[in-house]
C-alpha cells in the first residue's frame, strides 16, 4: 500500500500574497518621477479653484484629472491606459455639453487640459493594443478637437460659425499628436519585431545544435550499446585446483555446473542493463526530436502570427540566420570521420581532394584517407560550416538507418568550375535486427537543404542507381582558389 502524502496546511492567519511582476530599478525610478510630477501638477491646477466661484470646481477637477492621467505610467492595478483614456475623454465631452458655469472661467484651465488631452492622445495611439486603439484614439481625439466648444457654445458673443472655426483650428494639433503616436508605435513595433526575430534565431540555432551535435553523440552511444548486446563474452572456465587432493568427478561436474549458472545469470543481468541503457538513449533521442520540432513549430507560429503594421519587416530567410557558437570547417572532418569509424564496423574512407583539373587525393582503402591539398583557406566560413554539417548529418543517418553498412565513403573537393562537392555514400550492408523504429526525426536534411539553397547550392539524397546503398550529394558554389 502506497502511503499518501498530504501537503502542509497553511496557517489560518496567513494570507496568500499576490504575485507582482518584477520591476527594474530604472522603471521604479521613472514611476516615482511621474507620480511626483503628476501630484505637483494636480495641486497647481486645483489651487486656483479655491479663489473662484463654486461653478469653476468641475473645470479645475477635470483639468487636474486629465493631466494626472496623461503623466502617470499605466497600467495601475486593474486599470490600463485604454480604460482611463476613454473615461477621461468621455468626461471631457460630457462637460463640453453640460457645463453651465461662467464662460470666462473656462479660459483659465482650457490650455492645460488641451495640452494634457494631446499628450494623452499620443500615448493612446502609441500604447493601446490594436483592437482598441481606434475607439480610444477616436474618443481622445474628439475630446481634444471639441474642447474649445466648452467656451464658444456658452459665450454670449460666439455662435456656430465660431465653434466650427475653432474646432477646425484644434484639429491640426490633434492630428500632429496622433501622427507622433503612430510614428512611435511603428518604432515600438519594429523594436518588438527585432526582439522576436532574435529569439526565433536563437531557437533555430539551439535546434540546429541539438540535431547536429547532441543527437549525433547520443546516437553513437545507443549504437555502441546495441553492438554490445550482440557481443556475448565466452563462458569462463572454472579455476583448476592446485592442491594435490583428488577431486571426485561428480564434485567437479557440480562445481562447473554452478559456475556456468552464475555466469549465465551475470550475462542476463548485463544484457538487461544494456537494454535499459538502450531504451534510455532512444527515449532521449525521441525527446530531443520533440524539442527540435517544438522549437521549429514556435518559429513557424511567430512567422505566421506577426502583428499588423510589420509587413515591411519580415524575417530574413534562413540563410541569414546567425552562425553557431562554434563554427566547424573542413579541417574538422578527419576528427569527425575518426569518431564515426570507432563506432561502426564499416570500412570508412575520407577523401579530401581539389578537383581543378588534377585529382590530388588517392583512395588507399584505409579507414581514413586524407589529403592536404584542398585549399580550404579560400572557402567562406559559411560554406565550410555547411559542408561539415552535411557530412555530420549524412553519417548520423548512416548510424540510424544503416548501422551494419559494409563501407562508407566520404568525399569532399572542388570541381573544375570552383564548386565544392560533398558526397557521402554507404552500402546497404546486412539486414538489421527487428527493433522498434525511431519516430519523430526527419528534419535534418530538410533544414540543411534550406541552408544549402540559401548559399546558392543544391543538396540531394537518395538510393544508389544499383540499389545497393544510399548517397548524399551536395554542391556549394565557392570563390576560385588563388
Amino acid at each position: 500500500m502506497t502511503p499518501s502524502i498530504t501537503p502542509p496546511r497553511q496557517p489560518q492567519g496567513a494570507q496568500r500574497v499576490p504575485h507582482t511582476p518584477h520591476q527594474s530599478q530604472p522603471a521604479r525610478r521613472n514611476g516615482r518621477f511621474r507620480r511626483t510630477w503628476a501630484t505637483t501638477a494636480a495641486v497647481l491646477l486645483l489651487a486656483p479653484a479655491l479663489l473662484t466661484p463654486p461653478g469653476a470646481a468641475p473645470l479645475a477637477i477635470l483639468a487636474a484629472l486629465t493631466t494626472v492621467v496623461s503623466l502617470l505610467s499605466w497600467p495601475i492595478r486593474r486599470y490600463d491606459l485604454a480604460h482611463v483614456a476613454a473615461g477621461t475623454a468621455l468626461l471631457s465631452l460630457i462637460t463640453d455639453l453640460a457645463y453651465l458655469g461662467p464662460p470666462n472661467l473656462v479660459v483659465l484651465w482650457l490650455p492645460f487640459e488641451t495640452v494634457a488631452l494631446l499628450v494623452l492622445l499620443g500615448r493612446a495611439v502609441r500604447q493601446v493594443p490594436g483592437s482598441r486603439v481606434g475607439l480610444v484614439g477616436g474618443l481622445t481625439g474628439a475630446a481634444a478637437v471639441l474642447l474649445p466648444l466648452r467656451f464658444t457654445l456658452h459665450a454670449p458673443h460666439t455662435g456656430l460659425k465660431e465653434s466650427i472655426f475653432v474646432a477646425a483650428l484644434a484639429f491640426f494639433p490633434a492630428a500632429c499628436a496622433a501622427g507622433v503616436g503612430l510614428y512611435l508605435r511603428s518604432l515600438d513595433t519594429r523594436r518588438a519585431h527585432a526582439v522576436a526575430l532574435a529569439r526565433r534565431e536563437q531557437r533555430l540555432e539551439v535546434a540546429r545544435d541539438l540535431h547536429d551535435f547532441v543527437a549525433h553523440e547520443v546516437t553513437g552511444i545507443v549504437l555502441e550499446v546495441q553492438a554490445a548486446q550482440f557481443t556475448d563474452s565466452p563462458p569462463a572456465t572454472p579455476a583448476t585446483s592446485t592442491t594435490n587432493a583428488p577431486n571426485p568427478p561428480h564434485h567437479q561436474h557440480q562445481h562447473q555446473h554452478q559456475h556456468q549458472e552464475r555466469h549465465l545469470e551475470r550475462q542476463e543481468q548485463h544484457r538487461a542493463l544494456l537494454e535499459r541503457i538502450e531504451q534510455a538513449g532512444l527515449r532521449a533521442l525521441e525527446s530531443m526530436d520533440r524539442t527540435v520540432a517544438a522549437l521549429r513549430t514556435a518559429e513557424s507560429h511567430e512567422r505566421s502570427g506577426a502583428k499588423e503594421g510589420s509587413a515591411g519587416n519580415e524575417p530574413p530567410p534562413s540563410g541569414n540566420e546567425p552562425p553557431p557558437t562554434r563554427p566547424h570547417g573542413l579541417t574538422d572532418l578527419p576528427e569527425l570521420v575518426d569518431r564515426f569509424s570507432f563506432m561502426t564496423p564499416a570500412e570508412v574512407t575520407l577523401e579530401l581532394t581539389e578537383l581543378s583539373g588534377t585529382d590530388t587525393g588517392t583512395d588507399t582503402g584505409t579507414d581514413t584517407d586524407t589529403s592536404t591539398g584542398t585549399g580550404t583557406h579560400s572557402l567562406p566560413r559559411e560554406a565550410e560550416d555547411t559542408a561539415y554539417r552535411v557530412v555530420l548529418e549524412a553519417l548520423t543517418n548512416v548510424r540510424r538507418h544503416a548501422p551494419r553498412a559494409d563501407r562508407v565513403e566520404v568525399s569532399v573537393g572542388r570541381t573544375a568550375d570552383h564548386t565544392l562537392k560533398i558526397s557521402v555514400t554507404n552500402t546497404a550492408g546486412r539486414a538489421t535486427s527487428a527493433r522498434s523504429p525511431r519516430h519523430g526525426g526527419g528534419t535534418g536534411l530538410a533544414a540543411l537543404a534550406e541552408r544549402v539553397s540559401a548559399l546558392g547550392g543544391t543538396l540531394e539524397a537518395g538510393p544508389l542507381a544499383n540499389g545497393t546503398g544510399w548517397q548524399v550529394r551536395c554542391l556549394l558554389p565557392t570563390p576560385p582558389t588563388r
Side-chain angles (χ1 to χ4, degrees):
M1 180 177 180
T2 304
S4 60
I5 301 176
T6 58
R9 298 180 59 185
Q10 187 177 9
Q12 295 181 356
Q15 295 181 355
R16 188 180 300 274
V17 179
H19 174 72
T20 57
H22 175 70
Q23 291 184 345
S24 61
Q25 187 69 21
R28 292 195 295 268
R29 186 164 52 249
N30 181 51
R32 290 194 298 267
F33 177 78
R34 285 176 176 267
R35 287 192 295 270
T36 303
W37 273 101
T39 304
T40 304
V43 171
L44 293 177
L45 289 173
L46 291 174
L50 300 176
L51 305 176
T52 58
L59 300 177
I61 294 174
L62 186 57
L65 176 64
T66 307
T67 303
V68 169
V69 168
S70 64
L71 290 178
L72 288 181
S73 298
W74 302 95
I76 298 177
R77 296 184 181 179
R78 297 180 303 171
Y79 303 101
D80 58 2
L81 182 61
H83 291 100
V84 296
T88 305
L90 286 175
L91 286 177
S92 179
L93 291 173
I94 293 173
T95 306
D96 295 341
L97 299 176
Y99 177 69
L100 300 177
N104 56 347
L105 294 178
V106 175
V107 183
L108 182 59
W109 287 279
L110 184 64
F112 301 100
E113 187 175 350
T114 301
V115 173
L117 283 174
L118 293 177
V119 173
L120 189 59
L121 173 60
R123 290 189 62 187
V125 172
R126 178 184 182 182
Q127 299 176 8
V128 174
S131 58
R132 295 179 292 174
V133 65
L135 176 61
V136 178
L139 285 175
T140 311
V145 171
L146 300 179
L147 182 60
L149 300 183
R150 190 179 302 172
F151 173 79
T152 59
L153 291 179
H154 303 284
H157 303 292
T158 56
L160 181 61
K161 183 183 296 185
E162 290 79 7
S163 298
I164 295 176
F165 178 74
V166 174
L169 289 180
F171 176 79
F172 291 101
C176 292
V180 172
L182 285 175
Y183 174 72
L184 296 177
R185 186 185 185 94
S186 65
L187 292 182
D188 294 339
T189 301
R190 286 199 292 268
R191 187 181 300 110
H193 191 72
V195 172
L197 178 62
R199 291 176 178 174
R200 179 181 68 87
E201 290 173 345
Q202 289 176 355
R203 283 198 299 267
L204 289 178
E205 181 181 347
V206 171
R208 287 196 306 267
D209 290 341
L210 278 176
H211 182 275
D212 294 344
F213 301 109
V214 182
H216 176 81
E217 301 299 337
V218 176
T219 302
I221 295 173
V222 172
L223 290 176
E224 289 283 358
V225 173
Q226 290 175 349
Q229 295 182 53
F230 290 100
T231 306
D232 294 335
S233 59
T237 58
T240 58
S241 176
T242 57
T243 59
N244 296 328
N247 194 4
H250 65 279
H251 287 292
Q252 184 177 4
H253 179 72
Q254 183 179 5
H255 180 69
Q256 291 179 355
H257 181 69
Q258 293 176 353
H259 183 81
Q260 290 178 357
E261 287 182 350
R262 288 194 299 269
H263 176 76
L264 292 176
E265 182 179 357
R266 288 194 300 268
Q267 202 171 35
E268 289 296 330
Q269 294 175 354
H270 177 69
R271 186 178 293 109
L273 175 62
L274 292 176
E275 289 180 356
R276 289 195 297 270
I277 297 176
E278 177 191 3
Q279 294 300 321
L282 292 176
R283 287 193 300 270
L285 287 175
E286 292 175 358
S287 300
M288 196 173 304
D289 286 335
R290 287 193 296 268
T291 302
V292 172
L295 291 171
R296 296 185 184 277
T297 302
E299 177 268 334
S300 62
H301 286 174
E302 279 192 2
R303 182 176 295 177
S304 62
K307 293 183 178 180
E308 296 182 0
S310 62
N313 303 313
E314 291 298 326
S318 58
N320 293 333
E321 294 170 358
T325 305
R326 198 287 196 196
H328 295 78
L330 300 184
T331 55
D332 299 316
L333 288 179
E335 180 185 358
L336 173 65
V337 173
D338 285 340
R339 291 202 311 267
F340 176 80
S341 64
F342 288 138
M343 300 179 183
T344 178
E347 179 184 359
V348 185
T349 301
L350 172 62
E351 183 179 2
L352 295 177
T353 60
E354 183 175 7
L355 303 179
S356 57
T358 306
D359 188 357
T360 62
T362 58
D363 186 1
T364 60
T366 59
D367 289 343
T368 304
D369 175 38
T370 61
S371 63
T372 59
T374 58
T376 60
H377 60 278
S378 62
L379 296 178
R381 181 184 54 78
E382 294 82 0
E384 285 206 46
D385 185 69
T386 302
Y388 180 88
R389 290 176 181 268
V390 168
V391 176
L392 176 62
E393 175 65 21
L395 295 180
T396 302
N397 288 337
V398 171
R399 284 180 172 180
R400 294 178 180 177
H401 307 295
R404 298 192 178 184
D406 297 328
R407 183 175 177 83
V408 179
E409 298 178 356
V410 181
S411 175
V412 180
R414 284 180 183 266
T415 60
D417 57 349
H418 309 295
T419 299
L420 183 64
K421 178 182 178 181
I422 305 101
S423 174
V424 181
T425 307
N426 68 277
T427 58
R430 298 169 294 172
T432 58
S433 60
R435 291 186 178 270
S436 59
R438 174 176 168 241
H439 304 283
T443 61
L445 287 177
L448 276 177
E450 295 179 0
R451 188 184 182 96
V452 171
S453 178
L455 295 176
T458 58
L459 177 64
E460 300 175 353
L464 297 176
N466 54 8
T468 59
W470 190 270
Q471 183 182 43
V472 176
R473 186 171 179 268
C474 176
L475 297 177
L476 285 173
T478 60
T481 57
R482 298 180 183 273

